Amino acid sequence: MPQPPLTILAISGSLRSGSYNTAALRAAQEAAPEGVTIEIASIAGLPLYDADVQAAGFPPEAAGLGERVRAADAVLFAAPEYNYSMSGVLKNAIDWLSRLPDQPFAGKPIGMIGASMGLLGAVRAQYHLRQSLVFLDALPINRPEVFIAQAHQKFDAEGHLTDDAVRGFIRAHLEALAAWTRRLKAAPPPA
Ligand SMILES: Cc1cc2nc3c(=O)[nH]c(=O)nc-3n(C[C@H](O)[C@H](O)[C@H](O)COP(=O)(O)O)c2cc1C
């Protein structure tokens, strides 16, 4: 029986044009299971979080991203690792959205992948991201985890994923996220 379609909003924690994490999200778009559409949202336009700015009114970039998160069935993060944690721009985006009324990550199914040039594939960044998501009452999947280590060896100069094992992990992660999202839709946890 065909499953109802799902839309996943993907957020990369890297702004650079040659980002391996953004490239991994493009690979995820191509590897998405049938019925799953992945839209990549940019966090480049968000100002630095400032409570004074918030008090004067949420910037449209923050409000707009929050709306997109709310409208999506699930969110997929790609987290680069900066100094053993997530990147500042990703944390900044999460900080903005966390202050929105009707905080959009609450109850949201979440997937996460990460690419780094080191040997551990952004594992520490992903665990810090997971920790923030716990506070926001999001519902990240536990496994399969996707740690894209030595990313410079897994993508070509145009940012195409060249490693079939990584492609398989991403595909498995998306299948698990889709199953988790459908399970939560069928039986939402108590508010
Ligand atoms: C400020 C900074 C800190 C970094 N810290 C780490 C680190 O802790 N662990 C790691 O594996 N790579 C680290 N790197 C290297 C990143 O893995 C590499 O730059 C990677 O390409 C970033 O992801 P992107 O390609 O999506 O931009 C760091 C890079 C920068 C710029």
Side-chain angles (χ1 to χ4, degrees):
M1 202 171 80
Q3 301 271 24
L6 295 177
T7 300
I8 297 175
L9 190 73
I11 297 174
S12 171
S14 174
L15 304 186
R16 72 185 189 96
S17 56
S19 162
Y20 298 120
N21 283 279
T22 309
L25 291 181
R26 290 196 301 270
Q29 286 180 309
E30 289 167 12
E34 199 181 333
V36 174
T37 303
I38 299 178
E39 298 173 0
I40 300 178
S42 172
I43 57 173
L46 284 167
L48 288 177
Y49 179 79
D50 179 336
D52 294 339
V53 174
Q54 179 193 327
F58 279 93
E61 295 86 355
L65 185 62
E67 275 310 309
R68 291 188 74 183
V69 168
R70 260 185 223 108
D73 296 302
V75 172
L76 175 67
F77 288 102
E81 185 165 292
Y82 280 8
N83 300 309
Y84 280 20
S85 188
M86 71 180 103
S87 62
V89 291
L90 180 54
K91 183 64 162 51
N92 184 59
I94 290 171
D95 290 342
W96 268 119
L97 269 56
S98 74
R99 306 312 287 177
L100 288 168
D102 188 21
Q103 188 267 105
F105 290 118
K108 188 64 66 177
I110 305 279
M112 71 178 73
I113 61 179
S116 85
M117 288 167 68
L119 289 174
L120 297 183
V123 59
R124 292 159 293 220
Q126 291 192 47
Y127 272 86
H128 282 188
L129 172 59
R130 194 174 281 274
Q131 180 174 306
S132 290
L133 292 168
V134 166
F135 178 63
L136 296 175
D137 203 21
L139 299 172
I141 58 169
N142 292 330
R143 60 177 67 169
E145 295 175 300
V146 182
F147 304 123
I148 307 172
Q150 298 185 299
H152 49 295
Q153 297 174 7
K154 311 276 168 62
F155 296 87
D156 67 18
E158 281 75 46
H160 298 117
L161 181 63
T162 54
D163 189 296
D164 284 337
V166 170
R167 197 184 325 282
F169 285 125
I170 291 174
R171 168 85 185 194
H173 190 85
L174 293 173
E175 285 170 352
L177 178 58
W180 177 231
T181 303
R182 290 188 170 114
R183 191 169 139 192
L184 290 170
K185 276 180 179 290

